[in-house]
């Protein structure tokens, strides 16, 4: 399966990640995370496959995260509420978000990406 790369054009980290993928000649499909965020069900599957805490999917440095006071609110929210909120606004999702249907990475960490995506 092709890697789905949820990216935001105005994000420097996303541009760096895209260049990394191109440099490594890894085929991927770019999906604009703001215009076409993953659905609640897609996010649930990515979260389960990632092995990460759900809160790691939030873009904690983003404007909406701060406006919605999510630092205070997230601890009291259910997983369903968090998934619904993430699916409602792509800017709330930490990016870049990559998945091939099985593996998932959130954010750009070159060592992690080498281990996860650059394997033949």
């Amino acid at each position: 399966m092709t890697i789905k790369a949820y990216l935001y054009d105005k994000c420097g980290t996303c541009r760096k990640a895209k260049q990394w993928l191109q440099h490594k000649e890894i085929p991927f499909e770019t999906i604009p995370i703001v215009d076409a965020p993953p659905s609640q069900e897609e996010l649930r599957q990515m979260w389960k496959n990632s092995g990460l805490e759900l809160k790691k999917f939030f873009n904690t440095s983003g404007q909406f995260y701060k406006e919605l006071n999510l630092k205070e609110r997230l601890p009291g929210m259910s997983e369903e509420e968090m998934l619904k909120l993430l699916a409602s606004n792509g800017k709330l999702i930490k990016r870049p978000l990559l998945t091939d249907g099985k593996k998932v990475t959130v954010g750009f960490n070159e060592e992690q990406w080498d281990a996860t995506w650059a394997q033949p």
Side-chain angles (χ1 to χ4, degrees):
M1 178 180 200
T2 303
I3 294 171
K4 289 184 178 182
Y6 289 90
L7 307 170
Y8 181 50
D9 284 343
K10 295 179 182 172
C11 168
T13 305
C14 290
R15 289 193 297 269
K16 195 176 187 178
K18 191 173 182 177
Q19 287 175 344
W20 183 91
L21 288 164
Q22 291 167 336
H23 176 75
K24 299 280 186 177
E25 298 180 1
I26 298 170
F28 65 99
E29 173 190 357
T30 299
I31 300 169
I33 198 164
V34 175
D35 300 330
S39 70
Q40 190 171 339
E41 200 46 53
E42 288 170 318
L43 283 162
R44 180 187 332 282
Q45 193 59 53
M46 285 185 239
W47 165 51
K48 297 288 185 191
N49 290 346
S50 74
L52 298 170
E53 293 179 71
L54 186 52
K55 67 181 182 181
K56 296 285 186 188
F57 279 76
F58 281 87
N59 176 13
T60 57
S61 60
Q63 173 186 343
F64 289 108
Y65 183 89
K66 292 171 184 168
E67 283 178 10
L68 295 172
N69 195 26
L70 291 177
K71 184 177 182 178
E72 302 297 322
R73 292 179 50 209
L74 279 183
M77 293 175 79
S78 71
E79 292 167 351
E80 285 306 307
E81 289 170 320
M82 286 190 243
L83 288 166
K84 186 175 181 179
L85 188 59
L86 285 167
S88 74
N89 187 330
K91 287 189 177 180
L92 286 174
I93 303 170
K94 184 170 178 140
R95 52 193 184 257
L97 174 62
L98 267 64
T99 185
D100 65 359
K102 293 185 175 82
K103 298 179 287 189
V104 178
T105 54
V106 181
F108 180 64
N109 175 304
E110 207 163 328
E111 286 179 18
Q112 179 193 29
W113 279 36
D114 274 332
T116 306
W117 305 116
Q119 301 301 317

